[in-house]
Structure formats: C-alpha cells, structure tokens
Amino acid sequence: MSFPDIRPRRLRRTPAIRRLVEETRLAPAELILPLFLKEGISEPRPISSLPGTVQHTRESLLKAAHEAVSAGVGGLMLYGVPDNANKDETGSAGLDPEGILNVGLRDLRREFGDDTVVMGDVCIDEFTSHGHCGVLAADGSVDNDATLAIYADMAVAQAEAGAHMVGPSGMMDGQIGVIRKALDKAGHQDIGILAYSAKYAGAFYGPFREAVESTLQGDRRQYQQDPPNLREALREVDLDVAEGADIVMVKPALAYLDVIAAIRQRVDVPVAAYQVSGEYAMVEAAAEKGWIDRERVILESLTSIKRAGAQIVLTYWASEVARMLR
Ligand code: PBG
C-alpha cells in the first residue's frame, strides 16, 4: 500500500490560500461596544486603567456611538456613572427615568432609532453607596429577593427609555424570569434579554471599577461564580434560558474559553462573551512597553473567543477592530 503524500502545509503556503481555508472570521456586526456615560461632567474624562476609553458626556457619547455604528459595530451597551451625591443604599438613581443611564439610553435611541441595537446594563452596583450589585440585608449580605424587584423596575425603565435589549449583570438567582415577567406585564414583550449568565467573580474587572468609580469594599463572591467551576455555569445557563434569556453570555472571555465552548454545545440561543476591562488593560499595557504586537494580539484574542463558540463579543476595541476589518 502506498500512501498519498499528505502535507497539511499546502494549505498554509500563501496568504490567499490561508484566507480561503480560514475557519473563523471576525465581523464588525458581531461586536458590541460598552460605553460609560458620566453625570455632570463637561468634557470626556479618560479612564487611566483603560487607555483609549473615556467616561463620556452626553455629547461625546453620541459622537463615539456614531463612530461605532458607522464602522459597522453591531450594538452598544451603556453603563451609567452617577454623581457620587446620587448614590444611595438601594441604587435608586439607576431606576430614575431622569437618572444618567436612562437619559443616555433615550439619547441613543432618539439618535439611532433601529439602526443599531441599544442596550442597558441592569445592575445597581454603579448606583449604590456600598457598590454591591444588590441591596443589603441587615447582616450586610446581598439580599437576593429584595434585589429582584429593583431589577424588574430597572429593566422596565430602560425599555421605556428606548433600550432594544436589557443586560442583567447582577447574578441574582431568578433575575431573568422576574425581568421577563415585568417587561411583559408593562407591554414590552418585544424587548430582549442579554443575560450575563456565567459571570465569574475573578480579578479581571479591576479597570472597570475605576471606569464606574465603584465604591465596593470586599468582593462579589457570594453572587458571582467561583472561577474553578464549569458545570455550575451550565446550570446557570440552563436556568436563564428556561427563564427567558434571548442571548446568554460568559464573562470574562479569554480565561473562560472552555466555558464558552461548553455552553455553545449546550444551548441554541446565541452565545456572547465579554472581553472585560482587565483583558483589555493587559494588552494595552504590554503593547505600551513594546512587548507585544498590539493589533495582532487584539485580533488573535477576539478570534480565539469566537473560535471557542461566542457569536457576539463585547469589547472596548469594537470600533477600532471594526475599522481594521474593513
Ligand atoms: C456589573 C458589571 C461589572 C462589569 C460589567 N458589569 C463589574 C463587576 O461585576 O464587578 C465588568 C466589565 C469589565 O470589567 O469590563 N454592573
């Protein structure tokens, strides 16, 4: 028996051949740009641990959103950063129709109509004086069920402000079901839910805490997931899909590619991943030192996240990458 001469390298020989057999291809429409809107500032404020990103004014928010949309970015995820004086125990500024987050959602929807997908973060950590994602019980723990009612109202307020989709990120048990019911009851059956289903209590959110001026003391380990656990993520995703999640998300992304892959196998709803602030900051810092090729590492990390099975990626590089891909 003679063998054919099998040589995998034939398919790597020229850029054109490699392009032809490429299995994973990034597209701008699958990227979502997270944006921060800060209350009461007159100039955009750079976020030092997220070089290249800023806390926006209402004006600069629209400008950045236009850049993203015209580059082909698929959607916008808005975070509100209230004035410190407007933080309280229950995060009430997050629900206020005149609160900074709802004001920003209204601005975006008015500006873009249905030309992009406008999304809001449903979580109160930016709005609470203690920085936790829920309200506190007498013993200082985060009270799951008391928080659910707040999330329900917050989601309805965002739908009313014009969000196409809401993104519950607080990891309270039952949050998706409660939000789905509240949206339906208020006549918002068509507003979707992007569920932060498997969100890990890791160390990759550091720069985000600066971005939203978090007041958190301690950590979120009693509600976000423990990094060693994969099966627990599958359970969270099953619950979220059963409760009505339209899209499920894994967060962070690069350190959790196995979780993304397992969830992709498990469910048929779209799977998203969040390339979080720490992932971004590590690349920017190493690139600034001249230790890595910044653009190639950005594209390689996003390609890996997509290859693992995420169809949608939230990334602070969304606009830049969308332009690179053009
Ligand atoms: C909670 C929330 C966080 C992030 C997104 N939504 C912070 C946290 O859980 O502590 C982190 C995103 C990032 O690090 O880029 N509202």
Side-chain angles (χ1 to χ4, degrees):
M1 280 277 288
S2 73
F3 273 84
D5 188 8
I6 297 170
R7 292 175 178 269
R9 284 182 54 184
R10 285 183 195 123
L11 296 181
R12 301 177 197 142
R13 204 160 56 83
T14 71
I17 295 173
R18 290 197 295 275
R19 188 174 62 221
L20 187 68
V21 299
E22 198 171 83
E23 296 178 33
T24 306
R25 214 160 264 155
L26 296 172
E30 297 164 330
L31 304 176
I32 294 176
L33 177 66
L35 290 158
F36 303 103
L37 176 59
K38 168 77 180 162
E39 182 175 25
I41 55 172
S42 51
E43 290 296 322
R45 249 193 225 164
I47 301 164
S48 63
S49 55
L50 282 178
T53 74
V54 300
Q55 290 181 332
H56 284 290
T57 65
R58 286 175 70 182
E59 293 69 34
S60 73
L61 177 76
L62 291 182
K63 192 160 165 271
H66 267 290
E67 278 167 26
V69 172
S70 64
V73 165
L76 309 169
M77 173 64 78
L78 188 63
Y79 293 93
V81 188
D83 198 282
N84 266 330
N86 289 331
K87 296 188 179 188
D88 62 20
E89 286 286 306
T90 60
S92 57
L95 288 67
D96 184 348
E98 297 311 318
I100 191 65
L101 179 51
N102 288 322
V103 164
L105 289 171
R106 257 197 319 273
D107 283 352
L108 289 172
R109 185 62 190 275
R110 193 182 302 125
E111 190 77 5
F112 295 99
D114 291 334
D115 291 345
T116 188
V117 185
V118 175
M119 292 173 262
D121 181 52
V122 177
C123 190
I124 55 174
D125 62 315
E126 290 93 2
F127 300 96
T128 52
S129 43
H130 44 74
H132 273 296
C133 295
V135 289
L136 302 184
D139 65 359
S141 65
V142 172
D143 185 336
N144 192 89
D145 296 12
T147 302
L148 292 180
I150 294 176
Y151 287 177
D153 291 346
M154 189 171 187
V156 171
Q158 293 188 4
E160 247 123 63
H164 291 96
M165 233 179 246
V166 295
S169 66
M171 290 298 281
M172 296 299 130
D173 291 339
Q175 64 183 12
I176 303 304
V178 165
I179 288 170
R180 183 69 270 158
K181 261 195 211 133
L183 287 170
D184 292 351
K185 195 167 153 232
H188 297 297
Q189 291 88 348
D190 295 333
I191 301 305
I193 301 178
L194 164 62
Y196 291 58
S197 301
K199 177 172 176 182
Y200 286 88
F204 282 96
Y205 308 140
F208 180 93
R209 304 261 165 95
E210 182 200 337
V212 300
E213 301 172 32
S214 173
T215 52
L216 182 69
Q217 305 286 321
D219 59 52
R220 306 196 196 288
R221 285 179 225 220
Q222 290 191 353
Y223 41 107
Q224 296 179 354
Q225 280 186 239
D226 209 14
N229 298 351
L230 166 63
R231 286 189 298 272
E232 193 184 347
L234 304 180
R235 190 161 174 242
E236 288 281 4
V237 163
D238 286 348
L239 286 167
D240 281 2
V241 170
E243 290 175 31
D246 297 287
I247 300 174
V248 295
M249 182 149 77
V250 176
K251 176 184 176 184
L254 205 53
Y256 297 87
L257 296 181
D258 56 328
V259 180
I260 295 172
I263 289 173
R264 172 71 292 168
Q265 293 298 315
R266 181 122 167 160
V267 296
D268 293 324
V269 296
V271 176
Y274 198 143
Q275 182 176 58
V276 299
S277 58
E279 299 177 63
Y280 176 100
M282 290 192 301
V283 172
E284 292 290 347
E288 197 197 291
K289 286 187 174 285
W291 290 348
I292 56 172
D293 180 332
R294 179 178 174 279
E295 290 196 3
R296 288 187 57 202
V297 170
I298 291 171
L299 291 174
E300 189 174 335
S301 64
L302 285 167
T303 301
S304 305
I305 294 164
K306 194 168 173 196
R307 192 190 60 235
Q311 166 182 351
I312 298 166
V313 186
L314 275 79
T315 173
Y316 301 101
W317 287 306
S319 295
E320 182 183 351
V321 169
R323 284 194 302 270
M324 280 189 225
L325 295 173
R326 288 244 148 147

